[in-house]
Amino acid sequence: MWQTLIGIATGLLLCWLFLLAILAIARPKGNLLTEAVRLLPDLLRLISRLARDRELPRRTRWLLWILAGYLALPIDLVPDFIPVLGYADDAIAVALVLRAVIRQAGPQALTRHWPGTDDGLNVVRRLAGLPAAPQE
């Protein structure tokens, strides 16, 4: 029985370390991560609006609801004492989900539902792996 419990604990630890590695690789580079953390209130409204949009595929909306649930939890998968990733895990999760949503729904959905400023939208577009919107 102890061997089984140790095996399960070891497997969970390895999965968690793998998750940390993926987050470290996928995190936005430079000051983009800092800007994303600053935009978190607008990002939360964007996620809520996108999740309620019936024009988006059901799978995409479920992904957004799962992200909203993760963001609402007081417990993070990455503790805050881990440098860089500890405080940025929410922004990294948002970036990864937005990239998936953009691939399925298109950048028009992002533009249509963005509640903030044009500068903020350009940051979110860069976060999602898109070029900045052309200036009018």
Side-chain angles (χ1 to χ4, degrees), residues 23-90:
L23 289 176
I25 292 168
R27 75 181 170 87
K29 307 299 183 230
N31 67 348
L32 188 56
L33 188 60
T34 306
E35 293 178 46
V37 171
R38 228 179 286 132
L39 289 173
L40 208 51
D42 286 336
L43 285 169
L44 293 174
R45 285 196 301 267
L46 173 68
I47 291 165
S48 172
R49 289 177 179 185
L50 285 169
R52 287 182 274 134
D53 185 354
R54 297 262 183 218
E55 294 178 17
L56 298 181
R58 182 175 290 171
R59 178 179 170 202
T60 302
R61 288 185 284 141
W62 273 104
L63 186 62
L64 289 160
W65 283 116
I66 290 168
L67 174 65
Y70 171 73
L71 294 174
L73 287 175
I75 299 170
D76 286 341
L77 290 176
V78 182
D80 290 339
F81 64 81
I82 295 177
V84 180
L85 296 178
Y87 288 108
D89 63 329
D90 291 344

Side-chain angles (χ1 to χ4, degrees), residues 92-112:
I92 294 168
V94 168
L96 292 174
V97 170
L98 278 180
R99 288 177 188 174
V101 167
I102 297 300
R103 271 190 243 115
Q104 293 179 2
Q108 304 82 8
L110 176 69
T111 304
R112 188 172 62 242

